[in-house]
């Protein structure tokens, strides 16, 4: 059976503060896309057969072992007006650390049909109307959150609740892959 999965950066320390923001926005504009989604930064999403899951987990475990933990700072609000997304953005240093990991995971899973995210951000709301985007940007003006990025998380989509839930975590092992060095025969 086919199921949908996502690979994300996730920290339990951010779940509650971001939920409070989402609930506050919901109290002003009613239900909206992502209002019930737990705080995360999406890396990619894909649909696979159950039989492929173990192989995907092995690949994620192997690649995660090569990453080293670092601090991520979320320090501003922004939006993608074309898609109606309102989100918390990361600072420049965090972006420089997150993007290479996202690209390596995309490359590792390139044999799948991926929905990729190349721009690290934490969504507050998606598919908001221009009016609701304006309300969100007026409600939320300053932010200062951070977390230790020390793992990636695999989540499965629950077709009944219409939400992703965590099924596995892959800790960073701080074991960079050895660089290939061309040897000489003589």
């Amino acid at each position: 059976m086919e199921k949908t999965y996502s690979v994300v950066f996730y920290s339990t320390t951010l779940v509650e503060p971001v939920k409070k923001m989402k609930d506050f926005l919901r109290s002003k504009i009613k239900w909206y896309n992502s209002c019930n989604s737990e705080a995360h930064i999406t890396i990619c999403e894909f649909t696979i057969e159950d039989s492929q899951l173990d192989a995907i987990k092995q690949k994620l475990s192997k690649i995660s072992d090569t990453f080293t933990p670092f601090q991520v700072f979320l320090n501003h609000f922004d939006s993608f007006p074309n898609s109606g997304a309102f989100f918390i953005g990361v600072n420049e240093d965090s972006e420089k650390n997150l993007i290479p990991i996202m690209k390596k995971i995309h490359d590792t899973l390139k044999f799948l049909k991926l929905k990729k995210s190349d721009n690290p951000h934490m969504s507050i709301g998606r598919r908001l109307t221009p009016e609701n985007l304006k309300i969100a940007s007026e409600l939320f003006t300053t932010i200062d959150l951070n977390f230790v990025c020390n793992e990636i998380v695999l989540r499965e989509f629950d077709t009944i609740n219409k939400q992703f839930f965590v099924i596995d975590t892959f800790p960073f092992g701080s074991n960079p892959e050895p660089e290939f060095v061309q040897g000489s025969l003589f």
Side-chain angles (χ1 to χ4, degrees):
M1 186 173 126
E2 277 197 340
K3 292 183 181 167
T4 300
Y5 299 91
S6 68
V7 180
V8 303
F9 298 110
Y10 177 89
S11 171
T12 55
T13 61
L14 297 182
V15 170
E16 198 51 41
V18 173
K19 182 182 184 325
K20 285 180 180 171
M21 283 185 260
K22 290 181 176 214
D23 289 348
F24 184 58
L25 181 58
R26 189 174 182 171
S27 76
K28 302 295 181 191
I29 68 171
K30 307 296 181 232
W31 184 91
Y32 61 89
N33 285 79
S34 291
C35 67
N36 294 319
S37 176
E38 283 192 338
H40 66 278
I41 297 173
T42 300
I43 299 169
C44 63
E45 194 178 300
F46 54 89
T47 301
I48 57 168
E49 292 290 333
D50 289 340
S51 60
Q52 294 175 275
L53 186 58
D54 284 341
I56 299 299
K57 286 183 177 186
Q58 285 176 358
K59 288 182 182 302
L60 291 173
S61 179
K62 187 176 180 191
I63 191 75
S64 286
D65 191 49
T66 69
F67 303 138
T68 301
F70 57 94
Q71 199 77 21
V72 172
F73 297 93
L74 298 128
N75 67 350
H76 64 280
F77 291 103
D78 206 345
S79 65
F80 299 129
N82 291 345
S83 64
F86 183 76
F87 61 87
I88 307 169
V90 300
N91 73 1
E92 200 174 313
D93 286 341
S94 299
E95 191 171 287
K96 285 178 184 170
N97 286 321
L98 290 166
I99 288 177
I101 292 174
M102 295 167 83
K103 288 186 185 316
K104 281 189 179 176
I105 292 168
H106 296 160
D107 288 346
T108 298
L109 301 177
K110 67 183 172 207
F111 60 95
L112 298 172
K113 186 178 179 189
L114 295 178
K115 275 196 218 168
K116 298 188 269 189
S117 173
D118 298 314
N119 183 339
H121 64 279
M122 188 169 288
S123 294
I124 299 294
R126 294 181 303 117
R127 297 190 205 129
L128 299 176
T129 64
E131 298 78 33
N132 287 344
L133 264 180
K134 184 175 186 304
I135 291 168
S137 66
E138 289 169 355
L139 290 175
F140 305 108
T141 55
T142 60
I143 186 81
D144 182 19
L145 294 174
N146 65 81
F147 69 98
V148 176
C149 185
N150 58 3
E151 65 188 9
I152 56 173
V153 172
L154 180 65
R155 304 181 313 159
E156 181 181 314
F157 188 69
D158 181 330
T159 54
I160 294 161
N161 293 330
K162 304 287 186 219
Q163 292 296 322
F164 283 95
F165 62 96
V166 174
I167 60 168
D168 214 339
T169 58
F170 304 93
F172 292 177
S174 301
N175 293 311
E177 295 171 292
E179 294 294 321
F180 177 75
V181 178
Q182 179 69 47
S184 171
L185 293 173
F186 303 103

